[in-house]
Amino acid sequence: MKTSIIILLCKLLRVIGKLVGKGSSLPGRIALKLDPNILKKIKLPDEIVAVTGSNGKTSTVEMIAHVLKSNGKKIAYNKEGSNQIEGVTTFLLNDCTLGGRVKSDIILMESDERFARHTFKHFTPTHYVITNLYRDQMTRNGHPEWVYDIVGESIHEGTHLVLNADDPLVSCFGLGKEAVTWFGVDRLPFSTDRNTSLYHDGRYCPNCKSRMEYDYYHYNHIGSYHCTGCGLHRNNTTYTVTDASLKDSYIEINGKYHIDLSFSGIYHFYNTLATFAICNILGIPGEQIVSALNGYQMKSGRIVKFAVGEKEGTLLTSKHENSISYDQSIRVAVQDERDVTVTVIVDAISRKYFTSETSWLWDIDFELLAADHVKEIILTGRYCNDLAVRFSYCGIDSQRIHVIEDIGEAVTYMKDKAPGYQYVITCFSDKEKLLEKVEKRAEE
């Protein structure tokens, strides 16, 4: 079948999909069935930026897109977050002329860390941002070092790597390569001298398995490190957070560029830094990047302000089966100095697979919720009793913990009895189970 016909069909299917609220990947899946090499037959622009990693892909891509568009660049990207080859094919073909030429100046894509190797068989990114690699979705990803090997298959000659220097596993992608730019966060007041997480995946070098030593940690295995065997170490960074405040929600990059953030969190510091780095590499001046990012409100819906009765709250959406994602949501609630109630909803484990595997709950640092200003904790959803068993080992007074299986009843308790500001921590699949029962205020 002619390329022009496949492109036209993909465009029509995408229009129909938007009308019914779906269709970010189906048009691409059909196009690939009609011609598995369709992506090799289209004319791509000179700059192709890919972003992958365990966490932060969607948020980082959204901010990069915002900065580039704010500076007059015409871009195409998978803003729905459909990040496997079918979703990539959909948005690329929809940006094509019928003659097969992509109309945008820059292609920007979020790429699933397991499927990037398949996508990049058809074309090679000019720039490749890798944010981090963590324990993530055991049912599909297994161990981070297994995912590392798979991501490695997606890296090709001629690609400029933009790597998180603070992640020892990610830093291994830069070994022996010249076209690498490093970004990272200096030691700051929130850094620690020892690992404070429940597990320590940075204890041994991912390159040679010798003992790793750390100068400081930001969280888990992220920080400044050096291997006692092969010498793997945190590389000097070109783009660096040199100052930051969790309380006042800002970062300073390279001692010069101050960015006020709409949301405070170490994750967001890294996502913003990665955005600054790649946009500057693409030629956007630092001052113009700052202007675009200052106070930028995220549109991804990962953070949602809500009201329940007369009480205000924030929904923090964490990634499925990803303990570090949950840890960062917990830290947001803990660093709030007001009296708070924290509700944890676990009603579904995975978006794609049926599984009742809850061992990952034991990797989450729920012990942080022992803070005095966390007045009550509500555990709700189908797996509330699994949560209750986990919390029985946290050393938190059981009088502060309420187990309410029905989410509706838990919301009623929040409205009538739960003290202070309300934080709710849950995953993507479960967030609407809360939002349909409360008054939604705004998304970040």
Side-chain angles (χ1 to χ4, degrees):
M1 186 177 291
K2 287 187 175 181
T3 299
S4 59
I5 296 175
I6 295 175
I7 293 172
L8 178 59
L9 178 61
C10 186
K11 290 176 181 286
L12 291 173
L13 291 172
R14 185 68 183 110
V15 170
I16 295 170
K18 285 183 177 180
L19 292 175
V20 299
K22 296 181 179 180
S24 60
S25 62
L26 180 61
R29 183 178 301 120
I30 292 174
L32 288 166
K33 283 187 177 295
L34 294 173
D35 186 349
N37 295 311
I38 186 67
L39 293 181
K40 293 181 179 179
K41 298 177 180 179
I42 61 176
K43 174 63 176 176
L44 295 168
D46 292 335
E47 293 176 317
I48 304 169
V49 178
V51 180
T52 197
S54 299
N55 291 78
K57 297 184 291 292
T58 301
S59 297
T60 302
V61 165
E62 179 185 325
M63 287 191 288
I64 295 170
H66 172 69
V67 172
L68 294 178
K69 288 190 289 186
S70 298
N71 284 275
K73 300 292 185 180
K74 187 176 181 182
I75 68 167
Y77 73 107
N78 45 346
K79 57 185 175 182
E80 291 92 351
S82 186
N83 58 18
Q84 297 180 11
I85 188 169
E86 296 85 359
V88 171
T89 302
T90 297
F91 90 83
L92 283 177
L93 296 188
N94 270 272
D95 196 59
C96 278
T97 65
L98 292 182
R101 180 182 61 82
V102 171
K103 294 177 284 187
S104 294
D105 304 320
I106 298 174
I107 292 298
L108 169 64
M109 70 184 71
E110 172 187 341
S111 189
D112 179 273
E113 57 271 29
R114 277 189 58 196
F115 287 86
R117 58 179 175 167
H118 302 301
T119 302
F120 301 154
K121 288 178 180 178
H122 301 276
F123 59 88
T124 300
T126 57
H127 300 81
Y128 199 178
V129 182
I130 305 180
T131 58
N132 47 63
L133 287 176
Y134 305 136
R135 298 190 189 192
D136 178 44
Q137 297 177 285
M138 285 181 14
T139 47
R140 70 185 291 265
N141 285 341
H143 194 277
E145 292 190 13
W146 182 70
V147 177
Y148 168 85
D149 290 338
I150 291 176
V151 173
E153 295 178 25
S154 70
I155 298 173
H156 301 284
E157 290 296 324
T159 296
H160 183 153
L161 298 177
V162 183
L163 303 179
N164 182 354
D166 298 348
D167 185 326
L169 193 53
V170 168
S171 74
C172 289
F173 290 123
L175 292 174
K177 294 184 174 63
E178 294 183 2
V180 181
T181 298
W182 302 94
F183 65 90
V185 178
D186 276 351
R187 183 173 192 136
L188 294 172
F190 55 75
S191 307
T192 59
D193 291 325
R194 61 182 183 85
N195 175 51
T196 58
S197 300
L198 288 177
Y199 61 92
H200 188 1
D201 281 344
R203 189 181 301 277
Y204 299 102
C205 174
N207 186 51
C208 75
K209 311 307 177 189
S210 297
R211 184 171 53 85
M212 193 87 87
E213 292 183 350
Y214 275 74
D215 301 311
Y216 57 84
Y217 299 82
H218 295 313
Y219 62 91
N220 202 271
H221 62 280
I222 306 299
S224 179
Y225 53 86
H226 62 275
C227 173
T228 59
C230 68
L232 179 75
H233 62 279
R234 180 187 187 270
N235 284 271
N236 293 328
T237 51
T238 302
Y239 297 94
T240 313
V241 171
T242 49
D243 188 23
S245 173
L246 290 167
K247 180 179 180 181
D248 297 323
S249 301
Y250 74 81
I251 63 171
E252 186 177 271
I253 297 175
N254 292 354
K256 179 179 180 182
Y257 301 103
H258 180 101
I259 302 174
D260 291 314
L261 306 175
S262 63
F263 174 72
S264 185
I266 301 175
Y267 260 24
H268 198 41
F269 294 172
Y270 275 98
N271 294 342
T272 305
L273 176 62
T275 298
F276 186 100
I278 186 61
C279 290
N280 195 236
I281 290 168
L282 292 172
I284 309 299
E287 293 81 2
Q288 292 171 218
I289 301 173
V290 170
S291 177
L293 289 178
N294 257 332
Y296 177 69
Q297 299 277 341
M298 300 296 297
K299 307 297 190 300
S300 62
R302 305 294 175 92
I303 303 163
V304 183
K305 302 290 186 181
F306 67 88
V308 54
E310 297 181 355
K311 299 170 184 173
E312 299 293 323
T314 299
L315 169 66
L316 302 168
T317 308
S318 301
K319 191 175 181 183
H320 288 74
E321 303 175 84
N322 187 300
S323 59
I324 294 182
S325 181
Y326 276 79
D327 282 350
Q328 298 309 308
S329 293
I330 290 170
R331 289 175 188 275
V332 171
V334 170
Q335 69 197 33
D336 189 331
E337 296 177 353
R338 296 172 289 183
D339 288 350
V340 302
T341 291
V342 176
T343 298
V344 183
I345 303 174
V346 181
D347 198 60
I349 299 297
S350 174
R351 286 186 289 178
K352 293 189 175 183
Y353 311 102
F354 176 77
T355 175
S356 296
E357 208 292 308
T358 59
S359 64
W360 58 278
L361 295 176
W362 292 82
D363 290 338
I364 301 173
D365 201 359
F366 287 121
E367 281 78 0
L368 292 171
L369 294 175
D372 290 339
H373 68 285
V374 180
K375 298 303 180 183
E376 293 191 8
I377 299 165
I378 302 170
L379 310 178
T380 186
R382 181 184 304 177
Y383 297 93
C384 63
N385 291 315
D386 295 77
L387 282 168
V389 174
R390 169 68 183 92
F391 269 81
S392 70
Y393 287 83
C394 286
I396 299 173
D397 184 355
S398 61
Q399 298 300 311
R400 295 164 58 188
I401 301 172
H402 306 276
V403 182
I404 307 172
E405 182 172 357
D406 184 81
I407 296 173
E409 291 180 14
V411 171
T412 299
Y413 183 91
M414 290 166 57
K415 177 182 176 182
D416 295 339
K417 298 181 180 179
Y421 191 84
Q422 305 295 305
Y423 280 101
V424 178
I425 299 171
T426 192
C427 63
F428 305 127
S429 293
D430 290 343
K431 75 172 191 175
E432 293 300 329
K433 299 170 187 176
L434 171 81
L435 293 178
E436 66 187 12
K437 297 176 176 63
V438 299
E439 181 184 345
K440 185 175 171 182
R441 297 288 205 211
E443 294 185 1
E444 294 182 8

